[in-house]
Amino acid sequence: MKDEINDRILETMFRFFKSMKPTMSFHSKTSNLTMVQFEALIFLKHNKDAQMKDISEYFSITMPSATSLMDKLIEMGYAQRKNDIKDRRIVKINLTKHGEKLFQEAMKQRETKINILLSSLSLKDKQDMLRILETLIEKSDNYEK
């Protein structure tokens, strides 16, 4: 017999993620970033001197896709390539000052949107949601291994 509650949870999760897509992107008068580009800014902020293999592994994408993603951020002036001094074959990617500024602006916008969304939940509901999400992430991480 089919577990209807699991089906409803899965369907609701997909609807939730779809509804969150605009919140997870970044739009301003001067810039429009897709959700993946925004996540790439976050990754670069927390991973100084990232290499393409790091980006590829983090996003679970091919090296050419990682290069394409970074090329777009570089073209927009948010990231820069830097050759390693000791080994020119190694290319490191970092945020530019413009990228850092955009990151800060985007995080403020994202925080505001999330706070408005979560304000409709009680503290107990938020704590339950956090506990459930952390449990699912832990189980998912262990399932992958």
Side-chain angles (χ1 to χ4, degrees):
M1 184 172 164
K2 204 171 179 184
D3 192 344
E4 290 182 32
I5 191 73
N6 287 356
D7 289 345
R8 283 188 59 207
I9 289 170
L10 186 60
E11 180 183 319
T12 303
M13 285 173 58
F14 280 117
R15 284 186 15 237
F16 173 71
F17 293 135
K18 184 178 179 189
S19 74
M20 288 294 294
K21 188 174 181 180
T23 303
M24 304 312 278
S25 301
F26 175 72
H27 305 284
S28 73
K29 292 178 184 175
T30 59
S31 178
N32 289 312
L33 292 180
T34 66
M35 184 171 59
V36 174
Q37 290 169 337
F38 181 56
E39 290 299 320
L41 282 184
I42 295 170
F43 177 82
L44 292 175
K45 176 68 177 171
H46 297 294
N47 296 276
K48 304 276 188 231
D49 293 333
Q51 295 179 37
M52 285 302 172
K53 68 179 174 91
D54 304 322
I55 296 161
S56 172
E57 288 172 7
Y58 179 80
F59 286 98
S60 299
I61 57 177
T62 63
M63 290 287 280
S65 294
T67 300
S68 177
L69 174 61
M70 289 302 110
D71 284 347
K72 287 177 184 156
L73 291 177
I74 290 166
E75 187 178 300
M76 290 186 275
Y78 303 135
Q80 63 186 357
R81 283 188 177 88
K82 182 173 63 173
N83 283 40
D84 186 278
I85 296 169
K86 296 177 184 171
D87 187 344
R88 291 194 44 186
R89 294 171 297 177
I90 297 174
V91 177
K92 298 175 180 178
I93 311 289
N94 287 295
L95 290 179
T96 61
K97 295 237 184 270
H98 188 54
E100 290 272 353
K101 183 179 175 190
L102 184 74
F103 171 81
Q104 295 303 327
E105 184 183 339
M107 291 307 288
K108 284 180 187 174
Q109 186 183 94
R110 182 177 178 183
E111 183 180 342
T112 299
K113 289 178 180 180
I114 296 294
N115 286 341
I116 291 168
L117 180 65
L118 293 177
S119 69
S120 62
L121 298 178
S122 70
L123 177 59
K124 171 84 168 86
D125 286 345
K126 290 177 193 178
Q127 290 168 334
D128 288 344
M129 182 178 179
L130 181 60
R131 178 185 49 78
I132 290 166
L133 290 171
E134 287 174 342
T135 299
L136 290 174
I137 290 168
E138 180 183 331
K139 295 291 182 189
S140 178
D141 288 347
N142 290 336
Y143 181 78
E144 294 292 319
K145 293 175 183 172

